Amino acid sequence: MLGKRLRARSRLSPLLGRSRHAYAVWLARRCARAAYGAVVGAQPANHGNFSALPTLTVVVEAGVDKVALARTLASLDNPQAAIVIEGAVGSAARRSSFEQVAVTLGKGGGWLLPISAGDTLAPNAQRRYAHVSMEVKGFVVYADDDVCDVSGQRCAPHFKPDWNPELFRHHNYLSGASIVWVDQDALLAVIDLPDWIDSLTLKVLRGSNGEWAPHHLPAILHHRAKRPSPTTPAAVKLPARAQMPKVSVIIPTRNGTQLLRTCLEGLAQTDYPEMEIVIVDNDSDDPTTLDLLSKLELPRHKILRHPGPFNYSAINNAAVRQTSSPFLCFLNNDIEILDPNWLSILVAQARRDDVGAVGPMLVYPDGSVQHAGVVLGVGGGAAHAHRDVRPEEHGYFCRHALPQFVSAVTGACLVVQRARFKLAGGFDEENFPVAFNDVDLCLKLAKLGYAALYEPRTRLIHHESKSRGHDRDPIGARRLAGELAALKAIWHTDQKPDPYHHPSLSPYSEQFVVDL
């Protein structure tokens, strides 16, 4: 019965969350719950005496719309204390305004809340920021935001992830919705820049040298007139061919002749200098499959035998022990390769000092997204992010189309350094023979300091689980239930929120939609 309720909510949540009225309903529910003092992400009624909190200097970029400026000032707790930046770039009036801010900060620096005219703050936003600033170590605190349309209605909420530096390369989700700790030199360095708010935020981030990550305050404190949009990622810079390491591509298979043939044809067209293809046969008995395997050329192809019940983790671990390449690529036999540079791109990312496992965008044969990273907690375990979104759609702030750190990537196509795979202990054969072994591996790597990276600049087709089925038979269902229980017991996926997701997004939907 519990499983049926979960499946029902998983079907309904995306439908409800995509409704144009979803956010209005969410806001109405939040207001209703606030009356009883229980709402996730609500603004606290009070944070004590404002005068006892750290000083927070509000700086408003005036622009040319005086009505918008008045609206912004009216939303502040103390409009008279705000400093308005007026005048053209380079003008004496503008310089005078910045110098006033510098004097207010003092030589030691202080917390600045820079916003643009037209943006407004939620009630108690300044108190909330000031209170949190006493508790964090770092130079940036950022909050969630939404947009006020021309009719004054709130829409398009951005429930943001915790700090994700890879995502930030392509989407500035901090500027104009954050407070920054700055000194006079940093402030005066941006006087003559028209986009000084963005530039100041970036300057503060670079000045911290990565010592302290920006702190996420998961509540909507800003109502924006406009905000930075995601940018199209530049092409991955690939190393010279002579610098590309050898890769062992490991493909478990059982029958599925046409799937395997399509996968191998794609590998034959892959532009990579040194690649070893290791096919691990798990009791194939289809004559056409056996004929295909017998005709594969050596030494480019290595055929290994792994008889017995299907255990993805054991099959791949055994194959790793019989290879020596410094990089490993775990690949399902139902993957269809579209891009000859796919492996070069994934390996280039896996070479980084901060990266563990790397995975691409996987799409269904109809072109819709099947995998864009893995989110923890969906359904209590883990699930693919942005499933069924069209790659060309905007989706949830283009997250499916942007490189970013994620909690995990799928083992259907996963590249990792051999040394790091070994350091993490490889795949867990006992607890995760079929499902969640990729999630477990990625979480073990993250614990060692190597983050999982989703890389959508390469896209492959995944004919998902066609060669093995979908675990709908009683035996498969029991096994899956056991693996889900193990994931919860080891990693507490049903208790801890995914840092790259948000408590106000539905835990029942693979698409990022408001939790209703």
Side-chain angles (χ1 to χ4, degrees):
M1 185 60 115
L2 180 61
K4 290 182 179 179
R5 286 201 299 268
L6 179 60
R7 286 192 293 273
R9 295 196 72 166
S10 297
R11 292 190 184 100
L12 285 173
S13 289
L15 296 175
L16 294 172
R18 285 197 301 269
S19 165
R20 62 190 181 93
H21 301 297
Y23 187 44
V25 172
W26 185 87
L27 286 171
R29 287 185 175 181
R30 194 186 82 164
C31 291
R33 292 174 189 169
Y36 298 95
V39 53
V40 174
Q43 323 306 331
N46 195 358
H47 271 299
N49 184 355
F50 204 176
S51 62
L53 295 173
T55 300
L56 188 66
T57 304
V58 179
V59 182
V60 184
E61 171 62 45
V64 296
D65 189 339
K66 300 303 180 184
V67 174
L69 176 60
R71 187 165 58 247
T72 298
L73 293 174
S75 73
L76 305 181
D77 291 331
N78 185 6
Q80 290 74 30
I83 299 174
V84 179
I85 305 296
E86 296 185 280
V89 173
S91 67
R94 191 175 187 83
R95 286 181 172 273
S96 177
S97 298
F98 272 99
E99 289 167 0
Q100 182 185 352
V101 178
V103 170
T104 302
L105 288 175
K107 292 184 178 180
W111 286 105
L112 210 66
L113 197 169
I115 54 176
S116 298
D119 291 359
T120 59
L121 294 180
N124 289 311
Q126 292 166 261
R127 284 185 171 84
R128 188 87 184 259
Y129 269 133
H131 184 80
V132 171
S133 72
M134 296 190 299
E135 303 172 346
V136 301
K137 293 180 178 179
F139 302 91
V140 180
V141 179
Y142 66 97
D144 304 329
D145 57 31
D146 59 17
V147 169
C148 276
D149 62 22
V150 292
S151 65
Q153 296 297 310
R154 292 170 56 183
C155 59
H158 191 182
F159 296 113
K160 303 173 185 179
D162 286 350
W163 177 234
N164 192 325
E166 189 67 24
L167 177 63
F168 186 74
R169 292 172 187 252
H170 314 285
H171 185 191
N172 179 356
Y173 58 89
L174 270 60
S175 295
S178 60
I179 60 173
V180 292
W181 178 273
V182 296
D183 56 27
Q184 292 179 341
D185 291 340
L187 179 69
L188 296 177
V190 301
I191 284 181
D192 295 324
L193 300 178
D195 57 348
W196 68 269
I197 295 178
D198 291 358
S199 299
L200 184 64
T201 305
L202 292 172
K203 189 174 184 65
V204 170
L205 285 174
R206 294 190 185 107
S208 70
N209 294 318
E211 182 180 3
W212 302 109
H215 178 82
H216 179 207
L217 202 169
I220 293 180
L221 301 187
H222 296 259
H223 312 306
R224 312 288 296 271
K226 60 180 181 179
R227 55 191 174 192
S229 298
T231 58
T232 302
V236 177
K237 186 177 181 180
L238 300 178
R241 290 180 65 84
Q243 297 176 340
M244 291 182 179
K246 183 179 178 181
V247 180
S248 292
V249 181
I250 299 172
I251 310 171
T253 194
R254 174 182 168 84
N255 297 326
T257 309
Q258 189 52 51
L259 290 171
L260 180 60
R261 180 180 286 115
T262 298
C263 181
L264 294 175
E265 288 171 352
L267 287 168
Q269 298 301 316
T270 296
D271 184 13
Y272 198 86
E274 195 171 6
M275 177 174 54
E276 173 188 42
I277 301 173
V278 182
I279 301 170
V280 191
D281 180 37
N282 181 222
D283 289 335
S284 291
D285 54 11
D286 180 359
T288 59
T289 301
L290 297 174
D291 182 60
L292 173 63
L293 294 176
S294 69
K295 293 179 179 178
L296 293 177
E297 298 177 2
L298 299 174
R300 179 176 174 82
H301 301 90
K302 179 186 290 187
I303 311 299
L304 304 178
R305 306 293 175 182
H306 195 284
F310 181 78
N311 184 317
Y312 176 91
S313 296
I315 288 171
N316 281 288
N317 286 342
V320 170
R321 290 192 291 269
Q322 297 188 55
T323 64
S324 59
S325 302
F327 280 73
L328 304 167
C329 174
F330 300 100
L331 191 69
N332 277 18
N333 68 345
D334 54 4
I335 293 291
E336 182 178 346
I337 294 165
L338 304 173
D339 176 9
N341 288 321
W342 71 278
L343 188 56
S344 298
I345 292 172
L346 298 182
V347 171
Q349 295 288 37
R351 286 165 57 110
R352 291 169 42 174
D353 292 338
D354 57 344
V355 169
V358 182
M361 177 188 288
L362 298 181
V363 298
Y364 289 112
D366 68 0
S368 61
V369 171
Q370 187 262 338
H371 166 267
V374 172
V375 176
L376 305 181
V378 175
H384 291 179
H386 313 289
R387 193 192 294 266
D388 295 327
V389 173
R390 302 293 305 185
E392 66 275 10
E393 292 176 351
H394 186 269
Y396 188 77
F397 297 93
C398 295
R399 286 280 292 273
H400 66 286
L402 301 178
Q404 62 201 272
F405 291 129
V406 291
S407 289
V409 292
T410 178
C413 180
L414 184 156
V415 173
V416 64
Q417 292 189 34
R418 170 188 292 275
R420 293 174 185 174
F421 178 80
K422 184 178 179 181
L423 191 62
F427 291 113
D428 186 333
E429 302 176 16
E430 181 178 350
N431 290 304
F432 306 107
V434 178
F436 303 124
N437 36 57
D438 42 14
V439 177
D440 176 69
L441 173 67
C442 289
L443 292 175
K444 290 186 294 189
L445 287 165
K447 197 172 182 179
L448 294 169
Y450 304 114
L453 179 68
Y454 165 60
E455 178 49 85
R457 285 171 288 192
T458 188
R459 188 184 306 177
L460 309 176
I461 295 176
H462 188 194
H463 301 272
E464 185 184 25
S465 301
K466 283 193 175 180
S467 61
R468 193 181 56 80
H470 292 275
D471 301 322
R472 288 173 184 159
D473 61 283
I475 295 176
R478 282 195 298 272
R479 189 235 348 120
L480 179 60
E483 290 169 320
L484 177 58
L487 188 70
K488 292 177 180 179
I490 296 170
W491 296 108
H492 309 293
T493 55
D494 56 339
Q495 300 173 27
K496 295 181 180 179
D498 188 315
Y500 305 121
H501 202 240
H502 195 286
S504 292
L505 294 174
S506 174
Y508 300 99
S509 173
E510 292 168 306
Q511 298 173 21
F512 286 26
V513 296
V514 173
D515 181 17
L516 295 178

